Amino acid sequence: MTSTAPAPQSVHDVLVVGAGFAGLYAVHRARQAGLDVLAVEAGTGVGGTWFWNRYPGARCDVESVDYSYSFDEDLQQSWIWSERYAGQPEILAYLEHVADRFDLRRDIVLGQRVTSAHLDEDTAVWHVGTDTGQTYLARFVLMATGCLSALNKPDIPGTDSFAGEVYFTAAWPQQEPDLTGKRVGIIGTGSSGVQSVPLLAERAASLTVFQRSANYSVPMPNHVLTPADQERIRAEYPARRKKSAYAPAGTPHESYPHNALELSEQERLAAMEARWAEGGVLFGKTFPDQNANLAANDVVREFAEAKIRSVVADPEVADALVPTDHPIGTKRICTDIGYYQTFNQPHVRLVNLRTDPIVEITPTGVVTEHDVHELDVLVYATGFDAMTGALLRIDIRGARGTTIADAWGAGPVTFLGMAIPGLPNLFNLSGPGSPSVLANMVLHAEAQVDWLVDLVASCRERGVATVEARREAAEEWTEHVDAVAQGTLFPQARSWYMGANIEGKKQMFMPYIGGFGTYRRACDEVAAKGYEGFTLSS
């Protein structure tokens, strides 16, 4: 399925790669600025992450009222979210509604995956190629490819030999597979594993969970939004958005007003109980000092571990489910609906790969060091080559022979998380060097797209042909990103924030942890100074 689009050889002002939250808004915003824009999307529908990630239990861990566009008041007031935390089908329906409401589909090509982007330095035009053999030309390229979109297939001996059904949570089939009466195994217990395990257990005759690394998960107290809730949400939106616009995480939520170690044990406990009841990833920010002070973090960690042990009936299983290798919150806290309770069911088994590692996968199942697990279905919840994987899988060649592999060979270097030295007029959204996954991704996308479209419009008005991040500016920004991270506990965890889940990937903390508001102010300052840090050429 391919939507109608202008002739491929038209030179567009802006080419957008991807049609998720960032890509859709980029099309709309570029149009508003009077720019000729085209988006190219690999999926057969819009939605990005929420088109591909349709596994059982897929749900956003940010509240629906925040995880939504703020750019149009009529859209904001008219769309009605059914739940506090929306599931994948509802989020996808919302994005499809936005595409239709603003007539975005006429400028989106579906079913074509971008495989290359080469800059013609003589004309300052990017030639963007797809897996269908099509080539599109554009003066500016916005990579809205997503920070969690490059599927990670683990390198396990015998992976391709399994004769049963194989599914990836990151590329779940549109036609829901029937798992009734089947022996199901799932490898991976990150967010997608934690969300899908309870539902897989409901459907399967047996479920074997292969856990590589235990993760902390906090219950998600989801509920249907009542008419009274809806009325309150609509009334609160102006103040809520104003508070979120420059907030640390792009949402109105704040930490407890005092550090954990300044409080009495009784007050600390009350604060943690309240945040646990509130639910979700917010527990990772209960106290202002818990992600920078290990003693404060231990207080929160011990509370969470006691909660886990109170739910899991078998002490040995509970021991395996409690992480021992990272401070709580330094890997993204998962959110669940009955994850730990699932392991109390007799047909569910946990295999701790730290003590019983996988030896190989065979046609009939998984062989670990101490056991053989016969399976009919194997699910990989093994996540993504996060932050950099999507760009590195595209053959990008910019100025002076620079490739993306060259630019990021020793780790990602960016200016403001958007611009890459050697790749003029090409910008990355939600990638390394930006708050990205540490902030509300929708407001984050709006902020970056607004800033970049203003930059493109400014270049057009001033007769600027190319805009490129200066090497020293990018290195300074990247050093700043690292310095801020080193002031926290986050680098202590072998997380996908660090690239630790991908063999051979340079480990460095990739998102900007200084806060969404701080980041926006830095971007605002660069623009106010005439895009200081960039080389602008006519």
Side-chain angles (χ1 to χ4, degrees):
M1 175 183 173
T2 303
S3 59
T4 303
Q9 292 306 307
S10 302
V11 180
H12 305 284
D13 293 320
V14 177
L15 184 94
V16 180
V17 182
F21 268 106
L24 289 177
Y25 181 60
V27 172
H28 174 70
R29 183 67 173 78
R31 259 198 218 159
Q32 281 189 321
L35 299 170
D36 175 13
V37 61
L38 179 72
V40 181
E41 163 61 45
T44 55
V46 301
T49 292
W50 300 104
F51 174 84
W52 298 104
N53 287 263
R54 54 181 74 236
Y55 58 84
R59 189 176 296 277
C60 187
D61 58 7
V62 176
E63 290 174 275
S64 311
V65 296
D66 296 314
Y67 194 77
S68 54
Y69 290 118
S70 67
F71 70 86
D72 187 272
E73 185 61 24
D74 288 341
L75 169 66
Q76 189 163 262
Q77 291 291 325
S78 62
W79 180 267
I80 297 176
W81 292 104
S82 69
E83 296 178 287
R84 182 185 177 198
Y85 294 96
Q88 178 270 337
E90 187 169 13
I91 298 172
L92 181 59
Y94 172 74
L95 289 167
E96 291 172 337
H97 169 75
V98 169
D100 292 334
R101 184 186 185 106
F102 297 98
D103 190 25
L104 303 180
R105 296 181 191 271
R106 63 182 165 91
D107 290 324
I108 300 174
V109 174
L110 299 172
Q112 294 189 27
R113 181 176 295 278
V114 168
T115 55
S116 65
H118 298 169
L119 177 67
D120 183 331
E121 292 188 74
D122 293 334
T123 61
V125 169
W126 282 94
H127 294 237
V128 179
T130 74
D131 58 358
T132 64
Q134 196 71 274
T135 300
Y136 300 94
L137 309 181
R139 295 178 178 85
F140 290 86
V141 177
L142 303 188
M143 289 292 186
T145 48
C147 46
L148 294 171
S149 59
L151 185 149
N152 175 37
K153 183 177 180 180
D155 185 16
I156 301 173
T159 299
D160 295 329
S161 70
F162 185 63
E165 300 169 48
V166 176
Y167 304 106
F168 285 81
T169 54
W172 200 259
Q174 294 190 42
Q175 182 66 42
E176 186 66 33
D178 183 5
L179 305 180
T180 307
K182 295 176 181 176
R183 300 166 299 176
V184 178
I186 180 170
I187 299 175
T189 52
S191 182
S192 57
V194 165
Q195 288 186 328
S196 59
V197 158
L199 290 176
L200 294 176
E202 287 180 5
R203 303 171 186 181
S206 66
L207 179 65
T208 304
V209 181
F210 298 93
Q211 175 186 272
R212 300 177 302 167
S213 300
N215 279 294
Y216 291 101
S217 187
V218 176
M220 176 184 283
N222 197 26
H223 59 81
V224 172
L225 296 174
T226 66
D229 290 330
Q230 302 290 353
E231 186 175 346
R232 173 183 52 79
I233 287 166
R234 287 193 291 272
E236 291 177 350
Y237 251 136
R240 188 180 189 103
R241 293 301 197 184
K242 184 177 180 179
K243 187 174 182 179
S244 300
Y246 281 81
T251 70
H253 300 286
E254 298 175 339
S255 297
Y256 196 74
H258 302 289
N259 288 332
L261 300 182
E262 297 171 355
L263 304 173
S264 67
E265 184 176 353
Q266 183 178 5
E267 190 173 352
R268 278 200 306 262
L269 183 62
M272 289 187 289
E273 287 285 5
R275 187 51 68 92
W276 189 269
E278 192 174 5
V281 294
L282 295 173
F283 185 76
K285 302 173 184 177
T286 302
F287 301 110
D289 57 342
Q290 76 185 62
N291 289 321
N293 185 314
L294 189 57
N297 188 277
D298 284 342
V299 169
V300 181
R301 176 183 56 78
E302 290 166 5
F303 176 90
E305 290 177 4
K307 290 289 189 183
I308 296 170
R309 294 183 189 282
S310 72
V311 170
V312 182
D314 187 328
E316 289 187 12
V317 174
D319 284 343
L321 288 169
V322 170
T324 59
D325 61 352
H326 65 279
I328 188 169
T330 56
K331 287 185 176 181
R332 187 175 183 88
I333 285 182
C334 300
T335 56
D336 72 274
I337 300 175
Y339 175 67
Y340 293 114
Q341 292 86 338
T342 303
F343 292 97
N344 295 332
Q345 299 179 38
H347 71 299
V348 178
R349 180 182 180 188
L350 178 69
V351 178
N352 185 352
L353 299 182
R354 294 287 177 92
T355 57
D356 189 15
I358 293 176
V359 175
E360 65 174 336
I361 294 174
T362 68
T364 58
V366 175
V367 177
T368 58
E369 204 167 87
H370 305 304
D371 210 344
V372 175
H373 308 271
E374 299 288 336
L375 302 170
D376 303 307
V377 179
L378 189 54
V379 176
Y380 290 96
T382 46
F384 306 91
D385 182 352
M387 309 293 290
T388 60
L391 253 63
L392 288 170
R393 294 181 187 189
I394 299 172
D395 175 18
I396 301 176
R397 304 180 193 180
R400 304 173 297 280
T402 302
T403 68
I404 186 65
D406 295 331
W408 284 0
V413 176
T414 73
F415 184 45
L416 302 178
M418 294 183 279
I420 304 166
L423 304 179
N425 293 13
L426 183 144
F427 301 97
N428 191 30
L429 296 166
S430 305
S434 69
S436 187
V437 291
L438 301 180
N440 175 355
M441 295 289 284
V442 185
L443 296 194
H444 187 285
E446 289 181 333
Q448 286 194 325
V449 167
D450 285 342
W451 195 91
L452 288 168
V453 170
D454 285 347
L455 171 60
V456 172
S458 175
C459 288
R460 186 173 63 171
E461 291 168 7
R462 297 159 62 181
V464 172
T466 62
V467 54
E468 179 182 348
R470 291 190 290 108
R471 165 63 61 178
E472 58 269 31
E475 289 176 349
E476 286 176 10
W477 178 256
T478 303
E479 288 168 4
H480 171 62
V481 170
D482 181 66
V484 175
Q486 294 304 323
T488 73
L489 301 174
F490 278 76
Q492 295 186 22
R494 286 181 52 80
S495 67
W496 55 259
Y497 296 145
M498 297 284 294
N501 64 319
I502 303 297
E503 188 70 30
K505 189 169 181 175
K506 179 179 172 60
Q507 291 194 37
M508 58 187 289
F509 194 80
M510 292 181 281
Y512 177 60
I513 203 169
F516 178 60
T518 304
Y519 172 78
R520 288 193 69 183
R521 282 186 282 271
C523 294
D524 293 344
E525 184 177 351
V526 167
K529 292 182 177 180
Y531 298 102
E532 184 179 68
F534 289 95
T535 298
L536 283 68
S537 304
S538 59

